[in-house]
Amino acid sequence: MLERGVLLAFGLPLMIASLLVTADVFVRSVQKISVSRPFKYFIIGILTFTHLYFILSFSMNSVGFICYQYTTAFIASHFFYGDRGKILILITPCMVVFYLWFVGFSDVGKAFYLPLFGVGIFVLDFLLSKVKLIRPQQQFYMMYFLTCLLSPRFSMLVHHTTTYDWGAMLAVFVGSFVLLGSFMWLHRLIEGQEYQVLAELANSKIDALTGCFNYGTYNHDLLQAVSQKKTVTIAMIDLDHFKKVNDRYGHIAGNELLRTFASRTTTFLEAHFAETYSFYRYGGEEFCLVIEGDVKERTVAAMTTLCQTISSSMFPVANFEKGTMSLSCGVEASTVCHGDILAAVERADQALYLAKQSGRNRVCTLPET
């Protein structure tokens, strides 16, 4: 008796809570995948049935009656899916009936009590939502605990090997708190970590894919250079026909090409410039190099060498053909623009456009005025 009470109050609830946390992580991942909605629902349905299968198997074999079967439906609808997830309240008893048939339960005819209970809980929850006598959070708690306590009593009409007495009811009541409390603590922990990661990415100076400085850092550094009236040389870089490269090799391979290009260019710049410089991912397949000082001629020479190096290099992508990757570049120094850094950026961008118009895979500058 004591062993059954411990299982009902702590063992089973803690195991269900851990399963629901894995479901939480999985659902977050599935919702980020670019797949069709029916496929997402199919995957989530399989996951729900897998969890329910464990709950039913463990409760029937370990405590002698079915319990906690609606916890997945209520917690998932409240924390994961919203009102649409409440359809799980109706689906749960159907899954229980299927499980009983699947394990060879002899008197499946009695199982019609289970869908009746599911419909009753669903209708009661729906009516409470419409009349709005209590807040949604309070309604969730009330329906959750009520269902946890009453569902074993209806399940007893279908299958049991022990009685659902007052002691077992008390253990289920305690277990429902343990289950929900454990899940909410872990759920908030996961949410906190996710928000922290998002905040770090938002505040990060580094582009996650290439390891270069990102566009936000570029804007910040450029405005700082303007305010400090620095002399700089700008090189605007764009990978030629990269959309076609992506279409040919796929986006995963495209990401690998961007990562490899950035890594090789960083190594190249370290070998060719002693001056202070910053290398930014400007956006997509566009990059920007900002070097302190007027080193325009040396930058043009270095970028020309980089063009030749990239176009003649192999990249670690299946079926890659040499020459597929090439770059165009435009270079300008702020001294040409009387110290106006923003004007130098504009002229470097125009020079990049000229390089593309002139056949790509080259470095161009604009004539000084």
Side-chain angles (χ1 to χ4, degrees):
M1 184 69 70
L2 178 61
E3 181 181 354
R4 187 184 69 161
V6 172
L7 282 173
L8 283 170
F10 300 102
L12 187 55
L14 288 173
M15 284 188 279
I16 295 173
S18 65
L19 284 173
L20 286 167
V21 168
T22 61
D24 185 9
V25 175
F26 183 80
V27 168
R28 290 171 190 267
S29 301
V30 168
Q31 288 174 342
K32 296 173 185 176
I33 300 173
S34 298
V35 295
S36 64
R37 185 172 294 178
F39 182 75
K40 286 183 182 180
Y41 288 159
F42 173 74
I43 294 295
I44 291 169
I46 292 294
L47 181 68
T48 302
F49 180 75
T50 303
H51 284 193
L52 191 57
Y53 186 91
F54 165 80
I55 294 170
L56 296 171
S57 298
F58 196 89
S59 62
M60 288 177 65
N61 295 322
S62 299
V63 299
F65 54 83
I66 299 172
C67 56
Y68 297 121
Q69 69 268 38
Y70 284 93
T71 53
T72 297
F74 275 99
I75 290 177
S77 63
H78 186 73
F79 290 95
F80 304 160
Y81 312 131
D83 288 339
R84 289 179 301 176
K86 290 185 178 180
I87 193 67
L88 289 173
I89 298 171
L90 293 175
I91 294 174
T92 293
C94 299
M95 287 185 172
V96 174
V97 173
F98 177 77
Y99 168 82
L100 293 173
W101 170 82
F102 184 75
V103 298
F105 182 65
S106 57
D107 198 1
V108 180
K110 291 182 179 179
F112 76 92
Y113 290 110
L114 301 179
L116 285 178
F117 179 77
V119 170
I121 290 294
F122 180 84
V123 170
L124 177 59
D125 186 72
F126 176 78
L127 291 175
L128 286 172
S129 299
K130 290 299 181 184
V131 296
K132 298 180 180 179
L133 292 175
I134 54 178
R135 294 178 180 177
Q137 188 78 1
Q138 295 172 330
Q139 180 181 329
F140 163 71
Y141 288 135
M142 186 189 79
M143 294 300 299
Y144 167 80
F145 289 115
L146 182 67
T147 306
C148 283
L149 288 174
L150 294 183
S151 60
R153 179 65 62 188
F154 273 80
S155 299
M156 296 284 284
L157 300 173
V158 179
H159 170 81
H160 67 278
T161 57
T162 58
T163 57
Y164 183 56
D165 53 20
W166 286 105
M169 185 177 290
L170 178 61
V172 169
F173 183 66
V174 172
S176 60
F177 275 96
V178 171
L179 195 163
L180 184 59
S182 301
F183 171 78
M184 288 179 67
W185 177 71
L186 292 169
H187 175 75
R188 287 170 181 167
L189 188 65
I190 292 169
E191 277 195 333
Q193 290 176 340
E194 193 171 73
Y195 290 146
Q196 184 178 354
V197 169
L198 291 173
E200 287 175 355
L201 286 174
N203 296 325
S204 174
K205 294 183 176 182
I206 304 299
D207 176 62
L209 176 64
T210 61
C212 303
F213 289 116
N214 59 25
Y215 183 73
T217 309
Y218 164 81
N219 278 330
H220 175 270
D221 291 352
L222 200 68
L223 291 175
Q224 190 174 60
V226 170
S227 66
Q228 295 175 0
K229 299 181 179 180
K230 288 183 177 181
T231 298
V232 297
T233 301
I234 308 290
M236 301 297 290
I237 302 167
D238 188 81
L239 299 179
D240 298 328
H241 299 299
F242 196 74
K243 184 181 184 304
K244 292 182 179 179
V245 174
N246 253 340
D247 292 341
R248 180 176 180 181
Y249 295 107
H251 290 282
I252 294 175
N255 286 342
E256 184 59 36
L257 290 170
L258 286 172
R259 192 181 297 113
T260 304
F261 166 77
S263 175
R264 291 180 180 177
T265 302
T266 300
T267 303
F268 176 89
L269 295 174
E270 289 172 355
H272 284 76
F273 291 99
E275 293 83 2
T276 300
Y277 66 85
S278 295
F279 187 44
Y280 306 90
R281 187 183 182 193
Y282 193 76
E285 66 274 16
E286 298 177 0
F287 296 81
C288 181
L289 173 64
V290 179
I291 311 164
E292 291 191 10
D294 183 356
V295 287
K296 180 177 177 179
E297 290 185 7
R298 194 145 50 85
T299 302
V300 170
M303 291 299 102
T304 300
T305 303
L306 180 63
C307 277
Q308 297 166 353
T309 301
I310 294 300
S311 63
S312 61
S313 296
M314 290 295 294
F315 283 77
V317 170
N319 302 316
F320 182 83
E321 293 181 8
K322 189 181 293 186
T324 303
M325 286 282 287
S326 66
L327 65 91
S328 298
C329 180
V331 178
E332 190 56 277
S334 59
T335 51
V336 175
C337 306
H338 310 289
D340 189 335
I341 293 177
L342 297 181
V345 171
E346 179 65 25
R347 281 176 60 85
D349 200 45
Q350 291 173 5
L352 170 61
Y353 180 76
L354 177 61
K356 288 190 169 291
Q357 290 294 102
S358 303
R360 294 181 168 81
N361 193 26
R362 65 193 65 210
V363 181
C364 284
T365 60
L366 296 180
E368 297 184 13
T369 57

